[in-house]
């Protein structure tokens, strides 16, 4: 595929750049944004609203759902431009990137028109309620129950690791509606109003000091039937749409650590010598550069597939695996290189403002979120290398008959 802009895309790029110059701060480094919690949430909402009002949110969504009705290549151009500015988009990736496409595909038309424009302007923030204490990689093993109650459904059970649930207005929740059939067949997907008494959100404190994710408990939480996504018992199809969108959305925002490492190598002196003269640093630079360049090429292959109307294939899993491992290796290497200076937060003493220490603390999570290393390896083994599927002992068995540990 030709990666040069067409005249239309070049015009869009100029327009996007001019708007970003006027409305966002240009990046002078690749360090993280800092600040989280409610202040970051409100700042993010204000930024997203401004972006939506200017017509730059949800570029590929139809206009009637709050989007701009443009193509996925416009989306690529926007992503290439916006990465040069300091903006708070990450907190909307789960809603807009993961949940949005499933709602567009499976929700009744009236519900789409009600909910999607509010999502697109960040008036409502969404979370994804899939993982449970005993159902993560094997998410189809989940136990949260949904039972019919007239025109409504009643939900009981527990989710965990729900990113952003504390500040979310709505969530997409995968539930079990029939334990008498096999585990993939008895699932139903819903949208749930998080601001109701039956939903209890408990933040989880992380080792980096943040509270990025949460436990969520449902106590007779109520969901109207028109908030169902797809058929009763057909939830796995909807869940796969969410998970595939997640892989694509993650590939755009997942940290690799390489731009920050390159900034550091270009600018830092250690013991009076440019760090770039150090042979070990040079060796690492060559290794990570080649991995990073490989990821960029895989990303272009993915863009080509999407531009031709296809879907992201195993490239997304490959990118996730290589990027997440590199991110952790870079963080560990830099912290060892800096010694005590690595933990200094103040910019005047340490230009890296402890970026790599923060990264050491968060990078294990990046290797788990959106599918662990091992799960990515399984996908690559089966879909790229054509190896046999791993044995599935519970295949075809009714969910209620699958043996579990003592509860
Ligand atoms: C930062 C972060 C954000 C997250 N946000 C969300 C969110 O918003 N919503 C949500 O629903 N979930 C979220 N999650 C949860 C995430 O999806 C799960 O952590 C992930 O799917 C792994 O599940 P688990 O933690 O239960 O680990 P398990 O599935 O219990 O895995 C434990 C270990 O066993 C390995 N393993 C499991 N199965 C296999 C297999 N078949 N073959 C080989 N090895 C295997 C795993 O690789 C892992 O090393 C988030 C997680 C993180 C870290």
């Amino acid at each position: 595929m030709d990666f040069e802009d067409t005249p239309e895309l070049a015009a869009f790029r100029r327009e996007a750049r001019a708007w970003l110059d006027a409305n966002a701060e240009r990046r002078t480094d690749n360090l993280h944004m800092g600040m989280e919690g409610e202040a970051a949430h409100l700042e993010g909402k204000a930024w997203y609203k401004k972006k939506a009002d200017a017509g730059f949110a949800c570029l590929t969504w139809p206009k009637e759902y709050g989007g701009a009705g443009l193509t996925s290549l416009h989306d690529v151009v926007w992503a290439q431009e916006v990465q040069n500015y300091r903006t708070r988009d990450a907190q909307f990736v789960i809603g807009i990137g993961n949940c949005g496409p499933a709602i567009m595909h499976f929700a009744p038309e009236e519900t789409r028109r009600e909910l999607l424009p509010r999502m697109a302007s960040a008036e409502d923030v969404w979370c994804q309620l899939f993982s449970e204490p005993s159902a993560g990689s094997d998410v189809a093993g989940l136990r949260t129950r949904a039972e019919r109650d007239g025109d409504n459904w009643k939900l009981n059970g527990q989710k965990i690791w729900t990113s952003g649930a504390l500040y979310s207005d709505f969530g997409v929740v995968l539930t079990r509606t029939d334990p008498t059939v096999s585990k993939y067949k008895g699932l139903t997907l819903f949208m749930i109003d998080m601001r109701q008494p039956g939903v209890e959100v408990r933040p989880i404190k992380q080792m980096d000091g943040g509270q990025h994710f949460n436990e969520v408990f449902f106590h007779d939480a109520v969901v109207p039937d028109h908030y169902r996504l797809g058929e009763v018992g057909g939830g796995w199809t909807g869940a796969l749409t969410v998970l595939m969108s997640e892989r694509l959305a993650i590939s755009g925002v997942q940290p690799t650590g390489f731009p920050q490492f390159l900034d550091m190598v270009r600018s830092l002196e250690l013991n009076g010598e440019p760090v770039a003269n150090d042979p070990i640093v040079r060796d690492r630079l060559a290794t990570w550069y080649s991995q990073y360049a490989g990821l960029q090429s895989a990303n272009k292959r993915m863009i080509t597939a999407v531009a031709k109307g296809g879907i992201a294939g195993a490239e997304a899993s490959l990118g996730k695996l290589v990027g997440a491992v590199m991110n952790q290796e870079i963080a560990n290497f830099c912290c060892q290189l800096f010694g005590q200076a690595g933990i200094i937060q103040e910019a005047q003493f340490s230009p890296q403002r402890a970026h790599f220490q923060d990264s050491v603390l968060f990078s294990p999570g990046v290797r788990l979120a959106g599918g662990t290393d091992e799960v990515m390896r399984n996908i690559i083994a089966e879909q790229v290398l054509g190896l046999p599927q791993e044995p599935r002992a519970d295949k075809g068995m009714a969910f209620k008959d699958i043996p579990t540990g003592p509860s």
Side-chain angles (χ1 to χ4, degrees), residues 94 128 130-131 136-137 161-163 213 365 368-369 372 374 378 390:
I94 291 178
Q128 176 183 330
F130 281 20
S131 305
S137 303
W161 314 126
T162 317
S163 302
F213 38 44
L368 301 171
T372 65
E374 289 75 16
N378 279 347
E390 64 172 330

Side-chain angles (χ1 to χ4, degrees), residues 91-278:
Q91 69 215 58
F92 305 103
V93 167
I94 291 178
I96 288 168
N98 307 2
C99 305
I103 296 171
M104 216 167 298
H105 202 267
F106 296 102
E109 177 61 15
E110 209 174 308
T111 310
R112 282 186 236 175
R113 287 181 187 262
E114 173 201 344
L115 295 175
L116 287 172
R118 296 169 61 89
M119 181 193 268
S121 61
E123 203 167 322
D124 291 335
V125 175
W126 286 64
C127 60
Q128 176 183 330
L129 299 139
F130 281 20
S131 305
E132 297 188 2
S134 60
S137 303
D138 180 23
V139 71
L142 60 85
R143 291 174 182 279
T144 292
R145 291 186 325 278
E147 287 156 321
R148 264 226 192 251
D149 185 19
D151 288 339
N152 293 330
W153 293 79
K154 234 169 36 191
L155 266 58
N156 284 285
Q158 185 201 343
K159 297 290 173 179
I160 194 167
W161 314 126
T162 317
S163 302
L166 193 58
Y167 301 114
S168 290
D169 306 286
F170 283 89
V172 166
V173 57
L174 190 58
T175 64
R176 183 157 308 280
T177 41
D178 186 357
T180 65
V181 292
S182 82
K183 66 180 179 182
Y184 295 103
K185 289 192 177 145
L187 300 171
T188 305
L189 193 63
F190 295 99
M191 299 174 284
I192 185 166
D193 183 346
M194 297 289 285
R195 309 284 185 213
Q196 59 168 299
V199 176
E200 182 193 353
V201 179
R202 291 188 202 159
I204 298 172
K205 192 89 179 164
Q206 298 149 211
M207 67 177 165
D208 68 353
Q211 290 185 165
H212 168 83
F213 38 44
N214 306 268
E215 291 179 294
V216 178
F217 297 85
F218 303 113
H219 313 286
D220 285 339
V222 177
V223 176
D225 190 51
H226 63 271
Y227 276 9
R228 172 161 48 81
L229 288 171
E231 299 298 314
V232 176
W236 188 240
T237 311
L240 287 180
T241 305
V242 175
L243 294 170
M244 270 170 54
S245 307
E246 176 177 39
R247 233 148 260 167
L248 192 61
I250 281 184
S251 69
V253 295
Q254 183 191 271
T256 62
F258 186 76
Q260 295 79 7
F261 179 68
L262 191 60
D263 283 354
M264 187 275 288
V265 174
R266 281 187 172 135
S267 61
L268 196 72
E269 289 199 350
L270 217 53
N271 304 323
E273 274 277 317
V275 76
N277 290 350
D278 184 299

Side-chain angles (χ1 to χ4, degrees), residues 260-320:
Q260 295 79 7
F261 179 68
L262 191 60
D263 283 354
M264 187 275 288
V265 174
R266 281 187 172 135
S267 61
L268 196 72
E269 289 199 350
L270 217 53
N271 304 323
E273 274 277 317
V275 76
N277 290 350
D278 184 299
I280 299 174
V281 171
R282 295 175 79 82
D283 175 75
R284 299 284 77 208
L285 180 64
T287 303
W288 288 321
Y289 172 71
S290 58
Q291 289 182 9
Y292 186 69
L295 286 181
Q296 306 281 86
S297 300
N299 211 26
K300 283 187 174 159
R301 203 191 288 177
M302 209 155 68
I303 292 169
T304 309
V306 172
K308 289 181 177 162
I311 52 162
E315 289 94 354
S317 304
L318 231 136
K320 160 83 186 33

